[in-house]
Amino acid sequence: MRLNDKVALITGGGSGIGRAMAHTFADEGAKVVIAELDEASGQKVADEIGDNAAYVHCDTSSEEDVQASLAMAEKRFGGLNVVVNNAGVSQKDWDTTIAVNLSGVYYGCKYGAEKLAASGGGSVINLSSILGLVGIGAEDAYVAAKHGVVGLTKNFAIAFGQRGVRINCINPGWIETPMTATIREMEVMNTQVMTQTPMGRYGKPEEIAKAALFLASDDSSYMTGASLVVDGGWTAR
Ligand code: NAP
């Protein structure tokens, strides 16, 4: 078990990639706190996992909510070792997208890394995107926020490099989650994704969760400030 005795907080853990990470981490021995805006889905995932999981209401665009969630996680399971800044939105207005996808990750890094450093170290994992590496000529706020996440990851990695906290990000390609449901329903868009992805398919949330497991565990002990691209080859083109 690669996360035995570890406590992980996952924002947006009620759906898609976050839900898969919660299950994968719990299967590897972790205690998991799901910090999620939507109470029904967050509580449902906590219930699926059982005693080793808890739900806390959190709007990651609120600095106070993020701080309170981190404190709750530490108190509930007696420590904190991994913080996953996963919550995200797409196809929303500029202010909302920046507030959740960039400011939310910033709060999670700022308060999360500090808390991990104070308790002996740990791992912070930020969810960026392939759209944090290249543009697509649309979704300005999403692309800007996800590029910002790559920058924040590098900056915090440098700041915490000698304090025992590793900070990395994952850049997923097109993944089969509720976030991409509309794209998958639109024939033209769907065909475009499939043909532009060398592996010819969407990724599964569990395939991102496995990358997160690697970054959360000691298997990635010499990695910090990195972007781990998991995209079926999309950015290789
Ligand atoms: P998802 O299925 O829509 O899940 C996102 C979760 O975050 C939802 O449960 C959502 O709750 C929650 N959330 C939204 N705003 C929040 C907030 N302010 N505070 C707390 N929780 C909030 O999306 P996903 O595909 O799993 O995406 C997870 C992350 O991966 C995101 O950062 C996304 O940008 C990134 N990503 C996804 C893909 C992809 O193809 N799916 C590709 C690259 C990167 P509600 O349901 O209530 O909104």
Side-chain angles (χ1 to χ4, degrees), residues 15 17 36 38 58-60 86 128 142 146 172-173 175 177-178 180:
S15 172
I17 292 169
E36 162 72 57
D38 181 54
C58 178
D59 176 352
T60 58
N86 163 75
S128 177
Y142 189 90
K146 292 300 184 182
I175 311 301
T177 71
T180 55

Side-chain angles (χ1 to χ4, degrees), residues 65-132:
D65 269 21
V66 172
Q67 285 178 279
S69 300
L70 290 163
M72 177 277 190
E74 197 174 36
K75 195 167 169 212
R76 175 74 169 75
F77 290 119
L80 188 61
N81 311 95
V82 178
V83 174
V84 187
N85 296 308
N86 163 75
V89 292
S90 68
Q91 296 177 323
K92 300 269 195 228
D93 61 274
W94 175 271
D95 286 348
T96 307
T97 306
I98 296 298
V100 178
N101 292 10
L102 186 55
S103 301
V105 174
Y106 170 64
Y107 303 143
C109 285
K110 181 180 172 187
Y111 298 111
E114 198 56 60
K115 201 170 260 307
L116 296 183
S119 62
S123 169
V124 176
I125 301 162
N126 298 326
L127 267 290
S128 177
S129 167
I130 45 174
L131 304 185

Side-chain angles (χ1 to χ4, degrees), residues 36-44 55 57:
E36 162 72 57
L37 189 59
D38 181 54
E39 181 172 354
S41 64
Q43 188 61 59
K44 185 168 181 287
Y55 164 74
H57 174 82

